[in-house]
């Protein structure tokens, strides 16, 4: 009897959640998610111009992409202040950001699967569930997700994602825009292979400063939707290259809007990283690299061009071997692979004999008088 009551209570809770979602959908402009098209249950596999999913089907045939799913995590609510830079709409104010994002994205493409979680990932009670969804929330339940994207605006959340991904060995991409809103960056982090967020942390993190103390009451950091759009576009492009395996995936790519400068680099992990799981992943990566078969170095023989010399043409040096030897100096002992462009010959002492002149005892006036009489 107790079990039946518990099942009924669980069912009531599920129905209440569904009812709340349905009310939210209607508040957004219709029961179908805002008047957009319904989900296509079966897509046409034809790769023709008339099929809007031709490019997707071509990628499926190549085995590059299958189905896709988005897991969204956030605990904030939509505010009117978000309208200047995010894709939220004024009538969504008051909704949770993950819920509003799901409705907007589903309206754009209802064929994507969504899973939303409206909670703070930095709290102890939610962190374990966050890690569980990363390691088991793939398209095939029980398998890890392909990639984690960090689009947060504080260091605490970044460090939380970094901790989870280091422990799970999960590849992720970090992104952000500076407080002056005119620069940003994206970073690919592969635990053990590249630097994690704790390997080279910002000063605020390294000095253990509470970032909440840096924010002044009633003062909002600068934001430019153009800068955020550029950084978001760079992030998505890097995600596509990583997931679809084409082009060069950037480990770090910055953006300076003031100078239109895009610095790029790759950072190696810090062996003294404060995160023990990062150090553990580094050791695992070293073992994996050591186990790989070493590539054989094949020395290519220089191909002889014009083996026949019908006209008897020869290249003869204008300098003899003896002259070349005399004009060259000693070659220093250098490491393998390094050569000198030229050498400086040793200085030779002048072999001309000294000539001495005897003093006649005559004065300068007498010598000048003799020269006049000559």
């Amino acid at each position: 009897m107790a079990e039946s009551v518990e099942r009924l209570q669980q069912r009531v809770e599920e129905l209440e959640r569904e009812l709340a979602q349905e009310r939210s959908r209607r508040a957004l402009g219709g029961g179908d998610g805002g008047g957009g098209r319904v989900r296509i249950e079966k897509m046409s596999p034809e790769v023709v111009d008339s099929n809007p999913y031709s490019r997707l089907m071509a990628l499926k045939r190549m085995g590059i992409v299958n189905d896709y799913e988005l897991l969204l995590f956030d605990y904030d609510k939509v505010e009117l202040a978000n309208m200047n830079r995010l894709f939220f709409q004024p009538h969504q104010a008051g909704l949770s950001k993950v819920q509003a994002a799901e409705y907007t994205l589903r309206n754009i493409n209802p064929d994507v699967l969504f899973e939303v979680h409206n909670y703070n990932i930095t709290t102890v009670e939610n962190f374990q569930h966050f890690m569980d969804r990363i390691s088991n929330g793939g398209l095939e339940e029980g398998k890890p997700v392909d990639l984690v994207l960090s689009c947060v605006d504080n260091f605490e959340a970044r460090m939380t994602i970094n901790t989870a991904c280091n422990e799970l060995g999960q590849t992720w991409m970090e992104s952000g825009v500076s407080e002056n809103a005119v620069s940003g960056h994206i970073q690919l982090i592969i635990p053990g292979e590249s630097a994690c967020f704790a390997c080279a942390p910002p000063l605020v993190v390294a000095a253990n400063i509470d970032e909440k103390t840096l924010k002044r009451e009633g003062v909002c950091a600068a934001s430019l939707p153009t800068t955020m759009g550029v950084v978001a576009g760079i992030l998505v492009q890097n995600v596509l290259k990583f997931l679809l395996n084409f082009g060069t995936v950037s480990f770090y790519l910055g953006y300076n809007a003031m100078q239109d400068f895009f610095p790029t680099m790759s950072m190696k992990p810090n062996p003294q990283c404060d995160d023990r799981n990062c150090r553990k992943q580094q050791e695992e990566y070293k073992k994996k690299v050591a186990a790989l078969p070493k590539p054989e170095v094949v020395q290519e023989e220089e191909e002889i061009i014009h083996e026949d010399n019908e006209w008897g043409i020869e290249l003869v040096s204008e300098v003899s071997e003896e002259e070349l030897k005399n004009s060259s100096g000693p070659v220093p002992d250098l490491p393998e692979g390094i050569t000198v462009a030229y050498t400086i010959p040793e200085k030779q002492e002048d072999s001309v004999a000294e000539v001495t002149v005897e003093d006649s005892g005559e004065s300068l006036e007498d010598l000048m008088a003799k020269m006049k009489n000559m």
Side-chain angles (χ1 to χ4, degrees), residues 88-310:
F88 299 119
Q89 302 169 46
H91 61 264
Q92 293 175 328
L95 291 176
S96 68
K97 285 186 175 178
V98 288
Q99 191 180 27
E102 179 192 3
Y103 295 151
T104 303
L105 294 173
R106 193 184 298 279
N107 192 33
I108 295 172
N109 188 353
D111 303 306
V112 179
L113 300 176
F114 293 94
E115 180 181 317
V116 298
H117 299 279
N118 181 28
Y119 61 66
N120 186 354
I121 64 172
T122 65
T123 60
V124 176
E125 56 269 20
N126 294 327
F127 180 71
Q128 191 57 47
H129 183 265
F130 173 62
M131 284 187 56
D132 179 69
R133 295 318 297 149
I134 292 177
S135 56
N136 299 302
L139 273 173
E140 186 179 343
E141 189 62 31
K143 295 292 181 69
V145 298
D146 295 302
L147 188 65
V148 173
L149 302 183
S150 168
C151 307
V152 297
D153 61 356
N154 62 86
F155 295 128
E156 184 182 15
R158 286 184 175 92
M159 289 299 290
T160 299
I161 298 170
N162 186 74
T163 301
C165 291
N166 275 341
E167 185 170 340
L168 298 172
Q170 172 66 51
T171 300
W172 64 293
M173 287 191 190
E174 193 266 329
S175 63
V177 174
S178 63
E179 286 192 356
N180 63 6
V182 290
S183 62
H185 73 279
I186 65 166
Q187 183 179 355
L188 170 65
I189 299 175
I190 304 176
E193 181 178 347
S194 62
C196 77
F197 192 74
C199 283
L203 179 61
V204 175
V205 177
N208 291 322
I209 298 173
D210 186 0
E211 60 182 310
K212 295 186 179 74
T213 62
L214 303 177
K215 296 181 179 180
R216 289 177 292 171
E217 187 66 29
V219 177
C220 181
S223 64
L224 280 176
T226 47
T227 306
M228 293 187 174
V230 170
V231 174
I234 294 173
L235 175 65
V236 172
Q237 186 79 313
N238 215 41
V239 169
L240 289 176
K241 290 192 290 184
F242 178 83
L243 294 178
L244 303 184
N245 194 24
F246 72 91
T248 301
V249 181
S250 297
F251 274 91
Y252 179 95
L253 180 61
Y255 170 57
N256 185 330
M258 301 298 285
Q259 300 174 344
D260 288 338
F261 180 51
F262 292 85
T264 181
M265 62 178 175
S266 59
M267 294 188 291
K268 296 295 182 183
N270 180 5
Q272 285 82 40
C273 180
D274 290 339
D275 192 318
R276 63 181 181 85
N277 285 310
C278 176
R279 299 195 301 271
K280 180 181 176 183
Q281 293 292 344
Q282 291 179 47
E283 295 301 321
E284 293 294 328
Y285 178 71
K286 288 178 183 177
K287 292 178 182 178
K288 185 168 65 174
V289 172
L292 294 175
K294 295 182 179 179
E296 296 181 3
V297 179
V298 180
Q299 294 183 347
E300 296 183 0
E301 296 183 0
E302 294 185 7
E303 184 181 354
I304 300 176
I305 305 174
H306 307 305
E307 188 172 355
D308 298 329
N309 191 3
E310 181 180 354

